Every structure is written in structure tokens, then in C-alpha cells.
Amino acid sequence: MSIKNITTSAVQAGINTDEHHGAVVPPIHLSSTYSLKGFNEKREFDYSRTGNPTRATFAQAIAELEQGSVGIVTSTGMSAVHLICQLLSTEDTIVIPHDCYGGSFRLFTHLARRGQFKLVVVDQNDEAAFAQALAQKPKLVLLESPSNPLLRLVDIEKLTKACHQVGALVAVDNTFLSPALQQPLALGADIVFHSTTKYINGHSDVVGGVLVTKEQALGEELAWWANCIGITGSAFDSFLALRGLKTLPVRMKQHQENANEVAKFLKQHSAIDAVYFPGFADHPGHDIAKKQQQGFGAMMSFEVKGGVEAVKKLFANVKLFTLAQSLGGVESLISHPSTMTHAGMEIEAQLEAGITQSLVRISVGIEDVNDIIADLNHGLSQSQL
Ligand SMILES: *Cc1c(COP(=O)(O)O)cnc(C)c1O
């Protein structure tokens, strides 16, 4: 906990902590079980669902980057979201943003339909609607900033203060920025979580999640549940994600440098109606981004002229960009939110969240930016033929 610089913390995570052999990089512990020293004499670890040295190293590294006290590594990002639901009883209310991650939206709406908790879905930028939601005295409020796929922002510090005034806990999905660019706990939130599948692992070869709490007691409660319901992450995935984490701050620098150039290119392109990128001064969340983020990230979306037919032609003509969901890997990806990431959302809910048929989302990778732009340029010109 002594190293505060985020780049140094990430690189140094777990380095030279192996007392047994002096391994510089923390070894991977695949053993499912651990011996007792003797009758009723437990060691630190006893069974890998409950605790595992490799997972613990990764959890501690993330907790440090997010400036929290307890880190919990989960099997997927969705299991981190599901873990949060364990805080809610049938009479409790949770407030979620209307444009949250499609999988989160599906989980919350379906569990609420089965009576597991009460759900309020709200546009969190609508001050009156948000105040009305808080008047219902929720136990928990979920924030996601920037949101997917339209990169809408909310003022985390301001909303968290309002939530705390009514006694609600605040959990923030920080997947789109990673702790390298935003630390919600430092802005007042109680819980921050990630799909580590995205920027934290960063190489599109792990599906995983992590959750960090500000307070020790809340962290212990959630760690108890994570073991109880059996959603803790595997040792192998933790090893890979820790390896990815080491280059997170360096990767984010290149992602952002490329994203700024790509956004500028898209904005002036005649095949495009609108670009949603918080780095633009005219983006409605630009000032909030400057205040609460250490950069604008590398996700953006745009409307292609000519509707879904033009989108299909764009996808058929890009080569460097891969048509795939997910984001945050070193490689550039392109997707159609309506039929892909947000397909779990009913069409009315999609439209309410601003997801049209001509909307395209890209995750800008760390390839040479001139190659990225040339590929998009070719695809976009073909899209208009
Ligand atoms: C991907 C994602 C999730 C879900 O994570 P999985 O690892 O796919 O289970 C949650 N929130 C956001 C913002 C995501 O992008």
C-alpha cells in the first residue's frame, strides 16, 4: 500500500513476494486444496473457492489501484454484478441507469420480476427523475460512467453525495475506464467493480470480474457471499489478469492517444452523422470527464449515414477492425450494439436509451493509428456506395 503512483503500483504488483523460492513473478497456484499444519491448525489458505494465493495477489493489486480495502475476484464481470445483488432483500430497492450495460440490465430486470428486490430504472442525468428515485429510499444505487454504448457521463461525486444523504450505498461499474483513468472510491463511492475481461486483462483471453469496497466490513460481507455462492475467479484467470494489469497504465496511454486521433477523423467524415466521444468539448459530459477522469478513454460510438444497410457495408469492408463484441483488448474491435451487446434489451428500452440501428461502437486498439484510420476510411467510403 506504500506505492501511490498507479503505473508503478501496477508493474510492481506481486513482484518478489515469493518467500519460498524467490520467484520474481508470483507463481500460479493451481492446487484446489491446502493442507492443515495439524489438527485444527489452519494456514492462510484451505480451499481454493474460499481463498487462493494467486487470486489474492490479483485482488490486492486491484484494491490498491482503486484505493479500496477489500478486493474480490469473480469468475466473470456479471458474477461481480450478481454478487452486489446479495446485498438486497425482497423489500429493498435498487436504482439502476436506463443505459447501463445490457447484461446488467437483463440481470436486474429479470431478478426484479421474480421478486428478489424492487427495481427503479432511471435516466441519471435527469435530475428530477433521479431525485424521485432517491425518494424511494433505495438500499443501493448503481452508476456506470461512461455508459455503454453512448458514452454518457454522470457526476459520480455529486450523485454519490445525494445517495448517501438518503442512506443508499453506491456501486460504480468502472469497466470502460479502468482504475488507470478513474477511481470511483476516491470520488466517494462504496463499491467499484469491473469486467476484467476488458481493459484490465486487456488481451481478450480471459473472462473475469473484480469488485473492490471502500470499507473493510462491506468487503468481508461480500467476500463471504462470493465464497458461499461459489463465484470466485480461477487461479489461472487471476494469473493472466495480473499479468495484463502490469501494462494497464501504459496500454491506456496508447489507447487514448489513438482514440483522440480516430475521434477527430470520424467527426469530419462525410459518412457520419454524429460521434459520441467525451473528449470533444461539445460532448455533454466533457466537463465532468475533465473533472473526474484522468483521460477520455478509448471507446466511442457513431451514427453512420444510410442506416443499417450502410452499417453492414462498413462491417464487410473493414479488415483491421474485427466485428466482435467486447472491448478493451489491444486489438481494435467494431460492433453493432442493437444486435450484439444490447440484444438482451427489448427494442423499446434500446430506443429509450438512444440505441439506433445506425449506431456503431468501436474499441480503439493500440495498433498504429494511421492503419486504424485508413481502415475506417476505406470501410466508411464503401458504406456509402
Ligand atoms: C462486459 C461488461 C460487463 C460484464 O462482464 P463479463 O466479463 O462479460 O461478464 C459489465 N459491465 C460492462 C460495462 C461491461 O462492458
Side-chain angles (χ1 to χ4, degrees), residues 76-78 101 104 144 148 173 175-176 195 197-198 207-208 327:
T76 66
M78 283 316 301
Y101 175 70
S104 306
E144 189 177 321
N148 178 18
D173 187 337
T175 301
F176 262 43
S195 164
T197 316
K198 317 295 166 54
V207 175
L327 60 112

Side-chain angles (χ1 to χ4, degrees), residues 232-272:
T232 48
S234 79
F236 195 72
D237 289 352
S238 300
F239 175 82
L240 284 176
L242 178 66
R243 189 178 192 253
L245 181 74
K246 291 182 184 299
T247 55
L248 172 71
V250 177
R251 279 185 282 113
M252 289 319 282
K253 270 189 202 159
Q254 193 61 47
H255 275 297
Q256 295 202 98
E257 203 179 298
N258 288 0
N260 280 325
E261 293 299 313
V262 170
K264 273 190 262 170
F265 159 77
L266 291 173
K267 194 164 194 172
Q268 53 77 45
H269 203 287
S270 58
I272 286 177

Side-chain angles (χ1 to χ4, degrees), residues 46-354:
D46 59 2
Y47 185 61
S48 272
R49 169 166 33 79
T50 318
N52 171 281
T54 314
R55 191 167 69 228
T57 304
F58 177 48
Q60 199 190 331
I62 294 272
E64 192 174 315
L65 294 190
E66 288 286 9
Q67 304 179 46
S69 43
V70 178
I72 302 165
V73 176
T74 57
S75 54
T76 66
M78 283 316 301
S79 57
V81 182
H82 198 194
L83 182 56
I84 294 169
C85 296
Q86 305 305 322
L87 295 171
L88 303 165
S89 305
T90 47
E91 291 309 306
D92 292 329
T93 297
I94 175 170
V95 176
I96 67 165
H98 72 312
D99 56 354
C100 68
Y101 175 70
S104 306
F105 191 88
R106 178 175 58 193
L107 178 70
F108 288 119
T109 49
H110 283 74
L111 289 182
R113 275 176 212 167
R114 291 171 62 186
Q116 295 213 4
F117 44 73
K118 293 177 185 153
L119 178 68
V120 177
V121 182
V122 69
D123 176 351
Q124 296 182 337
N125 271 314
D126 180 338
E127 278 189 34
F130 192 65
Q132 215 170 19
L134 290 190
Q136 301 187 44
K137 299 249 179 285
K139 169 103 185 265
L140 189 63
V141 177
L142 186 83
L143 308 180
E144 189 177 321
S145 183
S147 74
N148 178 18
L150 285 165
L151 288 300
R152 293 203 179 102
L153 272 76
V154 292
D155 187 327
I156 295 174
E157 194 170 16
K158 188 174 131 194
L159 295 192
T160 297
K161 272 191 190 136
C163 294
H164 285 169
Q165 270 168 11
V166 298
L169 288 168
V170 175
V172 182
D173 187 337
N174 201 22
T175 301
F176 262 43
L177 290 175
S178 91
L181 301 182
Q182 179 168 269
Q183 296 100 35
L185 300 185
L187 297 167
D190 304 286
I191 299 170
V192 58
F193 64 94
H194 293 270
S195 164
T196 55
T197 316
K198 317 295 166 54
Y199 286 107
I200 289 178
N201 180 64
H203 294 74
S204 304
D205 51 11
V206 170
V207 175
V210 72
L211 180 153
V212 179
T213 63
K214 185 155 61 187
E215 300 299 337
Q216 186 76 23
L218 183 63
E220 281 169 12
E221 184 183 347
L222 287 167
W224 185 91
W225 275 112
N227 174 55
C228 177
I229 57 180
I231 56 160
T232 48
S234 79
F236 195 72
D237 289 352
S238 300
F239 175 82
L240 284 176
L242 178 66
R243 189 178 192 253
L245 181 74
K246 291 182 184 299
T247 55
L248 172 71
V250 177
R251 279 185 282 113
M252 289 319 282
K253 270 189 202 159
Q254 193 61 47
H255 275 297
Q256 295 202 98
E257 203 179 298
N258 288 0
N260 280 325
E261 293 299 313
V262 170
K264 273 190 262 170
F265 159 77
L266 291 173
K267 194 164 194 172
Q268 53 77 45
H269 203 287
S270 58
I272 286 177
D273 276 331
V275 184
Y276 306 104
F277 180 62
F280 291 139
D282 61 358
H283 183 282
H286 183 69
D287 291 335
I288 300 173
K290 281 207 294 199
K291 189 176 72 155
Q292 72 187 14
Q293 303 177 187
Q294 286 93 53
F296 302 114
M299 294 300 299
M300 64 192 73
S301 53
F302 52 89
E303 308 269 355
V304 182
K305 279 203 180 99
V308 75
E309 290 310 314
V311 170
K312 284 184 199 164
K313 286 185 209 156
L314 165 65
F315 289 173
N317 284 287
V318 286
K319 288 197 182 71
L320 182 147
F321 276 86
T322 303
L323 176 59
Q325 23 195 346
S326 199
L327 60 112
V330 290
E331 74 289 347
S332 293
L333 297 179
I334 194 162
S335 71
H336 186 237
S338 176
T339 53
M340 294 168 67
T341 46
H342 288 64
M345 236 164 134
E346 277 138 29
I347 219 80
E348 300 76 45
Q350 282 191 11
L351 288 174
E352 215 176 292

